[in-house]
Amino acid sequence: GLIVVDSGDLFNEDEEIPESVQQAARLKGDVIAEIYKHIGIDAVNVGELDLVLGVDYLKELEKKYNFAFVSANLVDEKDAPIFKRYIIKKVGDKNVGIFGIMGDSSDMTAKVSEITKDAAYVQDSLKAAEAVVKELTGKVDYIVALTHQGTNRDWVIARRVKGIDLV
């Protein structure tokens, strides 16, 4: 069994996309999504640069290409998760829980608020990871954390959140 994932900033490398090239950027996003669907992507963690074309655009891609964006700590102004917090994939006779986390450093949280014009907020990544792991415990055989943050923060999550099998 194979699991295919992406840890974020898949669609875009710029923090701002001028109006004149937005159409081209969307087209590029569609092509990448089409390729990923063809490869058989299981989950894509949301990176801050994926949000540049808007949350609605990502939701559109998700529907159109039928793959999951995951983020356990990206929420709207009502603190509701914007994307699925996790997915469970059956691999052979095992269940694998896959969740996404975006770094919660102050520059990242500021960037997300700015990019999305306050449509999305980043919650505490450790707390979010702990909550998801608690929810998945007993339901799955393995837990995979897709992170979008510095490696040093990955170490913190790996050490502090018991139950994650792979970061």
Side-chain angles (χ1 to χ4, degrees):
L2 181 67
I3 293 178
V4 184
V5 294
D6 189 287
S7 64
D9 283 356
L10 169 62
F11 297 107
N12 185 28
E13 12 345 286
D14 303 301
E15 281 184 36
E16 252 176 80
I17 301 176
E19 196 67 53
S20 59
V21 293
Q22 288 218 351
Q23 194 66 38
R26 284 170 191 271
L27 197 60
K28 177 184 155 196
D30 272 79
V31 170
I32 293 169
E34 176 97 47
I35 291 166
Y36 263 50
K37 183 188 178 175
H38 189 73
I39 291 169
I41 189 83
D42 293 302
V44 177
N45 188 23
V46 181
E48 80 283 4
L49 299 180
D50 294 322
L51 295 164
V52 173
L53 286 166
V55 167
D56 292 342
Y57 174 68
L58 293 185
K59 294 267 191 201
E60 234 170 80
L61 285 181
E62 202 171 29
K63 258 199 213 79
K64 194 165 161 187
Y65 297 101
N66 191 29
F67 65 70
F69 284 104
V70 290
S71 183
N73 67 332
L74 202 60
V75 297
D76 64 18
E77 66 282 352
K78 295 184 183 85
D79 276 347
I82 296 173
F83 299 97
K84 292 181 184 85
R85 290 164 51 242
Y86 61 83
I87 61 152
I88 297 175
K89 168 148 193 209
K90 198 154 184 59
V91 182
D93 62 346
K94 302 284 185 213
N95 286 317
V96 182
I98 305 165
F99 72 95
I101 284 289
M102 189 181 292
D104 60 5
S105 64
S106 55
D107 56 330
M108 181 69 90
T109 55
K111 209 183 277 185
V112 167
S113 293
E114 189 185 326
I115 285 171
T116 64
K117 298 176 180 55
D118 292 331
Y121 300 92
V122 181
Q123 287 183 327
D124 185 298
S125 57
L126 264 176
K127 283 191 185 130
E130 280 166 354
V132 168
V133 168
K134 194 173 173 183
E135 206 172 309
L136 286 171
T137 301
K139 290 184 191 163
V140 298
D141 302 288
Y142 300 103
I143 297 177
V144 177
L146 301 180
T147 66
H148 191 78
Q149 59 186 358
T151 317
N152 53 341
R153 294 296 297 156
D154 287 344
W155 284 108
V156 172
I157 290 228
R159 272 200 300 267
R160 299 263 297 275
V161 184
K162 300 291 171 242
I164 295 174
D165 296 292
L166 186 65
V167 176

